[in-house]
Amino acid sequence: MQYVTILGSTGTIGQQTLDVIAQHPERYGVFALAAHSRVDLMLQQCAQYQPRFAVMQDAEAARQLKQCLAAEQLPVEVLSGVDGLSEVAAHEDVSIVMAAVVGAAGLLPALAAARAGKKILLANKETLVMAGQLFMDAVKQGQATLLPIDSEHNAIFQAMPRQSYQALADVGVNQIILTASGGPFRGYTQTQLQEVTPALALKHPNWVMGAKITIDSSTLMNKGLEVIEARWLFDARPDQIEVVVHPQSVIHSMVSYVDGSILAQLGNPDMRTPIAYGLGYPDRIASGVKPLSLIDVAKLEFEAPDTQRFPCLRLAYEALAAGGTAPAILNAANEVAVAAFLQEKIHYLDIPCLIERTLQSLPVETVSSIEQLLAVDQQARQFVEHALAAQAVSPLRKVASV
Ligand SMILES: NC(=O)c1ccc[n+]([C@@H]2O[C@H](COP(=O)([O-])OP(=O)(O)OC[C@H]3O[C@@H](n4cnc5c(N)ncnc54)[C@H](OP(=O)(O)O)[C@@H]3O)[C@@H](O)[C@H]2O)c1
């Protein structure tokens, strides 16, 4: 029996992880569930999965959960705050940690799991975007096992020589090919993009995901964050990572070898496949995902991404090339800009404008510590918040581009 902590259990990935775990009660037990503030869903999950701990990042939500659990006579210990998340990620009785909190908030608990030598199923790409080198060092020092859950990186991991963390050239790899669906606005003109609303952007053509990653997918920032993630996971140079738009989302990514072979991983777009791969690794376990019918798919298409209409991908490559704290600035500016778009405070095309302006305005430093990265994250958030406040007196799109 292996005990699992799920960070972000109330989210899309968290719920799908619980779905896979429920298919293998003889193999996995739920040790801890952790989320931000959704008490009602956490209570339901506690009743169903009976974890030893439940953590709410928000202190008031933790207080409410405690009351509800007592009323239902459920013997679950409640913790709160980022310390609570880190505690259940590093607990000695835990073997597997699913890191599926959204955004920069996922960094410290994922780091705690790495330092404690856990098997980490990493869905929270922001951890590697913000702190790639420091996180990979912690994985090595803590002798943790790191398994990528992002479907693209999971596909690459599967198509790489097994367990190889050697330099790509030493294992005959030429290039990593990340596929992108292109999002719901692939064929849109610049004029049509100006009219995009949150409701429209929240409809992804192939995947069911949380709000932030769905918007990131539509702007291609998600692909940009994945380029940075791939750089650290596979020790790849930026020029060894190519992005190809593949609207069917059937090939989840590919690895190109020096002999001309390209290995791909295919499947229906359902995150339970990479989740089951991570939980079972090195074994294969059932996921509940319908097998892919190539006859039904019939055709697979590919095209180059358009970084003119979708500048977020270009901005991510530029942040990666700048190095140091630039990816952390990119990530923080993106999180605040996406939240502002979802609250209808800015237009869709303001998102890349705000990120670019933040990257151009803040100094890039060499990374020295997690504390420094957290400070840079705060500084970038404040910079965007100030730009947003200035918009209260000016037309939004103009302010973002000054
Ligand atoms: N969804 C996908 O298909 C997919 C695919 C690849 C990678 N990912 C990555 O996986 C991560 C999760 O994505 P998602 O789609 O599952 O997101 P989501 O549906 O929005 O869920 C986010 C989860 O994180 C929790 N959370 C948010 N802020 C938190 C905080 N400050 N402290 C602690 N917990 C917090 C939420 O709790 P509450 O419910 O209480 O707010 C929720 O459980 C993201 O990094 C995303 O990029 C997702």
Short mmCIF file of all heavy atoms in Angstrom, two decimals, residues 93-119:
data_model
loop_
_atom_site.label_atom_id
_atom_site.label_comp_id
_atom_site.label_asym_id
_atom_site.label_seq_id
_atom_site.Cartn_x
_atom_site.Cartn_y
_atom_site.Cartn_z
N ASP A 93 5.21 9.29 6.43
CA ASP A 93 4.32 8.19 6.05
C ASP A 93 3.84 8.28 4.60
O ASP A 93 3.07 7.44 4.15
CB ASP A 93 3.09 8.16 6.97
CG ASP A 93 3.48 7.80 8.40
OD1 ASP A 93 4.63 7.32 8.59
OD2 ASP A 93 2.67 8.02 9.31
N VAL A 94 4.29 9.32 3.89
CA VAL A 94 3.84 9.53 2.50
C VAL A 94 4.87 9.02 1.52
O VAL A 94 6.06 9.29 1.67
CB VAL A 94 3.61 11.04 2.24
CG1 VAL A 94 3.35 11.32 0.78
CG2 VAL A 94 2.48 11.55 3.08
N SER A 95 4.41 8.28 0.49
CA SER A 95 5.35 7.84 -0.55
C SER A 95 5.24 8.72 -1.79
O SER A 95 6.22 8.99 -2.45
CB SER A 95 5.05 6.41 -1.01
OG SER A 95 4.74 5.60 0.05
N ILE A 96 4.00 9.11 -2.13
CA ILE A 96 3.77 9.80 -3.40
C ILE A 96 3.11 11.16 -3.13
O ILE A 96 2.16 11.24 -2.34
CB ILE A 96 2.83 8.97 -4.31
CG1 ILE A 96 3.41 7.58 -4.56
CG2 ILE A 96 2.57 9.69 -5.64
CD1 ILE A 96 2.50 6.64 -5.36
N VAL A 97 3.61 12.20 -3.80
CA VAL A 97 2.99 13.53 -3.67
C VAL A 97 2.58 14.00 -5.06
O VAL A 97 3.41 14.12 -5.96
CB VAL A 97 3.98 14.54 -3.05
CG1 VAL A 97 3.37 15.94 -3.04
CG2 VAL A 97 4.37 14.13 -1.65
N MET A 98 1.27 14.24 -5.23
CA MET A 98 0.79 14.87 -6.45
C MET A 98 0.83 16.37 -6.23
O MET A 98 0.13 16.90 -5.36
CB MET A 98 -0.65 14.39 -6.76
CG MET A 98 -1.38 15.24 -7.77
SD MET A 98 -0.55 15.43 -9.36
CE MET A 98 -1.02 13.92 -10.19
N ALA A 99 1.68 17.07 -6.98
CA ALA A 99 1.82 18.53 -6.83
C ALA A 99 0.94 19.20 -7.87
O ALA A 99 1.34 19.40 -9.01
CB ALA A 99 3.28 18.94 -6.99
N ALA A 100 -0.31 19.52 -7.49
CA ALA A 100 -1.28 20.04 -8.46
C ALA A 100 -1.98 21.29 -7.95
O ALA A 100 -3.13 21.55 -8.29
CB ALA A 100 -2.30 18.96 -8.82
N VAL A 101 -1.27 22.07 -7.12
CA VAL A 101 -1.75 23.42 -6.80
C VAL A 101 -1.52 24.25 -8.05
O VAL A 101 -0.58 23.99 -8.81
CB VAL A 101 -0.93 23.99 -5.61
CG1 VAL A 101 -1.10 25.49 -5.46
CG2 VAL A 101 -1.32 23.26 -4.32
N VAL A 102 -2.37 25.25 -8.30
CA VAL A 102 -2.14 26.09 -9.48
C VAL A 102 -1.28 27.30 -9.09
O VAL A 102 -1.44 27.87 -8.01
CB VAL A 102 -3.48 26.54 -10.12
CG1 VAL A 102 -4.32 27.39 -9.19
CG2 VAL A 102 -3.24 27.25 -11.43
N GLY A 103 -0.33 27.64 -9.95
CA GLY A 103 0.44 28.88 -9.78
C GLY A 103 1.63 28.78 -8.84
O GLY A 103 1.99 27.69 -8.36
N ALA A 104 2.21 29.98 -8.57
CA ALA A 104 3.42 30.07 -7.75
C ALA A 104 3.20 29.51 -6.34
O ALA A 104 4.16 29.10 -5.68
CB ALA A 104 3.86 31.52 -7.67
N ALA A 105 1.95 29.46 -5.89
CA ALA A 105 1.65 28.95 -4.55
C ALA A 105 2.08 27.49 -4.40
O ALA A 105 2.24 26.99 -3.29
CB ALA A 105 0.15 29.07 -4.28
N GLY A 106 2.29 26.81 -5.52
CA GLY A 106 2.67 25.39 -5.46
C GLY A 106 4.15 25.16 -5.21
O GLY A 106 4.56 24.03 -4.93
N LEU A 107 4.95 26.23 -5.28
CA LEU A 107 6.40 26.05 -5.23
C LEU A 107 6.90 25.48 -3.90
O LEU A 107 7.61 24.46 -3.90
CB LEU A 107 7.10 27.40 -5.52
CG LEU A 107 8.61 27.44 -5.31
CD1 LEU A 107 9.33 26.46 -6.23
CD2 LEU A 107 9.17 28.85 -5.54
N LEU A 108 6.55 26.10 -2.78
CA LEU A 108 7.14 25.68 -1.50
C LEU A 108 6.74 24.25 -1.11
O LEU A 108 7.61 23.46 -0.71
CB LEU A 108 6.82 26.68 -0.40
CG LEU A 108 7.52 28.05 -0.55
CD1 LEU A 108 7.12 29.00 0.56
CD2 LEU A 108 9.05 27.89 -0.60
N PRO A 109 5.46 23.86 -1.24
CA PRO A 109 5.13 22.47 -0.91
C PRO A 109 5.81 21.45 -1.84
O PRO A 109 6.24 20.39 -1.38
CB PRO A 109 3.60 22.40 -1.09
CG PRO A 109 3.12 23.80 -1.13
CD PRO A 109 4.25 24.68 -1.51
N ALA A 110 5.96 21.79 -3.13
CA ALA A 110 6.64 20.86 -4.05
C ALA A 110 8.11 20.73 -3.64
O ALA A 110 8.69 19.63 -3.68
CB ALA A 110 6.52 21.36 -5.48
N LEU A 111 8.68 21.84 -3.23
CA LEU A 111 10.08 21.84 -2.79
C LEU A 111 10.24 20.99 -1.52
O LEU A 111 11.22 20.24 -1.38
CB LEU A 111 10.50 23.28 -2.52
CG LEU A 111 11.97 23.60 -2.52
CD1 LEU A 111 12.60 23.29 -3.86
CD2 LEU A 111 12.17 25.09 -2.20
N ALA A 112 9.26 21.08 -0.63
CA ALA A 112 9.31 20.28 0.61
C ALA A 112 9.29 18.79 0.26
O ALA A 112 10.02 17.99 0.85
CB ALA A 112 8.12 20.64 1.51
N ALA A 113 8.46 18.43 -0.74
CA ALA A 113 8.39 17.01 -1.16
C ALA A 113 9.72 16.58 -1.77
O ALA A 113 10.20 15.46 -1.53
CB ALA A 113 7.26 16.83 -2.16
N ALA A 114 10.36 17.46 -2.54
CA ALA A 114 11.64 17.13 -3.18
C ALA A 114 12.71 16.91 -2.12
O ALA A 114 13.46 15.92 -2.15
CB ALA A 114 12.04 18.25 -4.14
N ARG A 115 12.77 17.82 -1.16
CA ARG A 115 13.80 17.71 -0.11
C ARG A 115 13.60 16.46 0.73
O ARG A 115 14.55 15.89 1.26
CB ARG A 115 13.76 18.96 0.79
CG ARG A 115 14.31 20.19 0.07
CD ARG A 115 14.19 21.43 0.92
NE ARG A 115 14.79 22.58 0.26
CZ ARG A 115 14.38 23.84 0.40
NH1 ARG A 115 13.37 24.11 1.19
NH2 ARG A 115 14.99 24.81 -0.24
N ALA A 116 12.33 16.02 0.87
CA ALA A 116 12.05 14.83 1.68
C ALA A 116 12.17 13.53 0.87
O ALA A 116 11.88 12.46 1.38
CB ALA A 116 10.65 14.95 2.28
N GLY A 117 12.57 13.65 -0.40
CA GLY A 117 12.86 12.45 -1.20
C GLY A 117 11.64 11.67 -1.65
O GLY A 117 11.70 10.45 -1.83
N LYS A 118 10.53 12.36 -1.87
CA LYS A 118 9.29 11.67 -2.27
C LYS A 118 9.29 11.35 -3.75
O LYS A 118 10.07 11.90 -4.53
CB LYS A 118 8.08 12.56 -1.96
CG LYS A 118 7.95 12.98 -0.53
CD LYS A 118 7.87 11.79 0.40
CE LYS A 118 7.77 12.21 1.87
NZ LYS A 118 7.97 11.08 2.78
N LYS A 119 8.35 10.48 -4.14
CA LYS A 119 8.02 10.32 -5.56
C LYS A 119 7.06 11.47 -5.86
O LYS A 119 5.94 11.50 -5.33
CB LYS A 119 7.39 8.95 -5.80
CG LYS A 119 6.87 8.73 -7.19
CD LYS A 119 6.59 7.25 -7.39
CE LYS A 119 5.48 7.01 -8.38
NZ LYS A 119 5.22 5.59 -8.61
#
